Amino acid sequence: HSVAVLGAPFSKGQKRRGVEHGPKAIRDAGLIERLSNLDYPVHDFGDLSFQNLDKDEPYMQVPFPRSVGRANKLLSEAVGSAVASGHTTVMLGGDHSLAIGSVEGHARQCPDLCLIWVDAHADINTPLTSPSGNLHGQSVAFMLKELQNKMPELPGFSWVKPFLSAKDLVYIGLRDVDPGEYDILKELGIQCFTMRDIDRLGIQRVMEVTLDHLLSRKQRPIHLSFDIDAMDPSLAPATGTPVNGGLTYREGIWITEEIHNTGLLSVMDLVEVNPVLGASREAVEVTASLAVDIIASSLGQSRQGGPIAQTQTL
Ligand code: DIR
Ligand code: MN
Ligand code: MN
Ligand code: MN
């Protein structure tokens, strides 16, 4: 197989500036070189260019709806064509609102995909439950069929029709869930592994249950949406909404190794690296370099020098 890398320098899903420089920071940390050490061709498709809309009034309290909708439509088409060309695709954000386009474009090619969302946050607010209005905290709500009648029609989003079932989604790393999100997760019975669950079960058991939940009935493509703020802020300080008590380096890498091991990873997002928010150059570099490690590990870089032994069968 081959890998496609696609940058999405976009930040209007939230209010802090700088996350649009995430793709450059991750490339500068040596992403392409690291991936070229793995054993398949890497195609760097560069960065998408997103047009600025000068008139984009908030809808209710949601800022930049048309800009976010349009950026995601463009991204959806780019991810869709990379997947259609047979590439395992890596999308570099940018803020997490970009998952709307990334997962939608993937799903149009692979309607039976499943989604693993690694994040401190559930990003499942609707415009009505969101305390901030920010669309990066609402991405999943646009995807889920079960939330169709709870979603108002937002300008810029008429092209998105919900395509994912709640049973095809698993969360890992949650520790900052809003009240409205909690109710949705509960009502839809979504499989969630919060940091508390990881403390209780261990990351190995969490991944066993995750992959069993998603793949035991049938093998199908995996979309991994990895928000760098899932990792502990001591490891990933340069991000917009850090939350203490995150994944350790080894828990993060265990997650990605196990996903690689399935052989089913089809698209991954690595989002919310914000080089402007690092307190120092070193803070930015450790965050970007961690992002590179997470991506390389998802694509098969192993801690053993060779292929990872299969320790479990589905
Ligand atoms: C909060 C914060 N739940 C919100 N969300 C995110 O604004 O909806 N921060 N995604 O990264
Ligand atoms: Mn997120
Ligand atoms: Mn987050
Ligand atoms: Mn491999």
Side-chain angles (χ1 to χ4, degrees):
H1 50 248
S2 56
V3 171
V5 175
L6 193 58
F10 182 80
S11 64
K12 288 192 167 167
Q14 47 86 65
K15 296 180 194 96
R16 308 186 72 169
R17 62 176 207 95
V19 74
E20 70 276 17
H21 303 301
K24 176 167 172 18
I26 297 168
R27 284 203 181 83
D28 288 351
L31 177 68
I32 302 301
E33 197 188 347
R34 280 281 288 289
L35 298 184
S36 67
N37 295 333
L38 305 173
D39 53 5
Y40 35 68
V42 178
H43 304 268
D44 187 352
F45 286 84
D47 290 353
L48 292 169
S49 52
F50 299 111
Q51 284 163 290
N52 228 8
L53 294 176
D54 16 75
K55 222 178 127 51
D56 192 1
E57 302 308 314
Y59 177 84
M60 305 191 310
Q61 44 138 21
V62 176
F64 314 121
R66 298 161 196 83
S67 303
V68 175
R70 185 199 279 217
N72 275 288
K73 185 163 191 286
L74 189 69
L75 178 60
S76 163
E77 282 154 15
V79 168
S81 66
V83 171
S85 305
H87 305 301
T88 303
T89 302
V90 179
M91 188 280 282
L92 309 175
D95 74 63
H96 216 168
S97 69
L98 293 164
I100 300 168
S102 179
V103 185
E104 202 273 345
H106 187 191
R108 269 188 296 112
Q109 299 299 321
C110 307
D112 65 337
L113 66 75
C114 59
L115 176 60
I116 302 178
W117 197 275
V118 182
D119 202 325
H121 310 93
D123 298 351
I124 198 167
N125 277 301
T126 72
L128 302 164
T129 68
S130 172
S132 66
N134 297 334
L135 282 162
H136 79 153
Q138 305 176 37
S139 323
V140 177
F142 287 86
M143 303 175 197
L144 288 182
K145 294 176 189 165
E146 289 88 345
L147 289 177
Q148 191 149 28
N149 55 15
K150 294 195 164 123
M151 290 294 285
E153 275 183 41
L154 229 60
F157 288 88
S158 58
W159 60 277
V160 194
K161 300 284 167 267
F163 52 86
L164 190 74
S165 298
K167 64 177 185 349
D168 300 324
L169 163 65
V170 175
Y171 284 103
I172 301 172
L174 302 185
R175 57 194 182 277
D176 182 6
V177 176
D178 296 324
E181 294 185 301
Y182 180 84
D183 294 341
I184 292 170
L185 294 172
K186 211 72 201 264
E187 187 186 324
L188 301 186
I190 294 172
Q191 179 76 255
C192 295
F193 295 102
T194 65
M195 288 311 301
R196 182 176 164 78
D197 295 314
I198 296 172
D199 287 342
R200 189 163 52 94
L201 299 169
I203 196 64
Q204 184 197 335
R205 180 68 186 147
V206 164
M207 288 312 293
E208 262 174 40
V209 179
T210 295
L211 297 174
D212 188 62
H213 179 86
L214 296 173
L215 304 174
S216 63
R217 278 183 313 119
K218 66 172 191 291
Q219 302 281 296
R220 57 204 178 127
I222 296 174
H223 190 115
L224 169 61
S225 204
F226 203 117
D227 185 327
I228 198 72
D229 73 28
M231 302 300 290
D232 192 78
S234 59
L235 304 166
T239 191
T241 52
V243 188
N244 281 335
L247 297 170
T248 65
Y249 185 92
R250 284 158 62 176
E251 286 167 340
I253 296 298
W254 181 268
I255 293 169
T256 52
E257 285 175 349
E258 289 299 288
I259 290 173
H260 172 77
N261 258 358
T262 65
L264 295 169
L265 180 64
S266 177
V267 177
M268 83 174 285
D269 312 317
L270 194 301
V271 298
E272 302 282 3
V273 172
N274 186 334
V276 169
L277 296 179
S280 62
R281 212 177 101 168
E282 201 205 327
V284 174
E285 283 170 5
V286 299
T287 308
S289 152
L290 175 61
V292 171
D293 290 352
I294 289 166
I295 295 166
S297 168
S298 301
L299 295 173
Q301 179 180 295
S302 103
R303 290 182 282 180
Q304 317 188 124
I308 300 167
Q310 297 288 335
T311 52
Q312 85 192 56
T313 48
L314 294 167

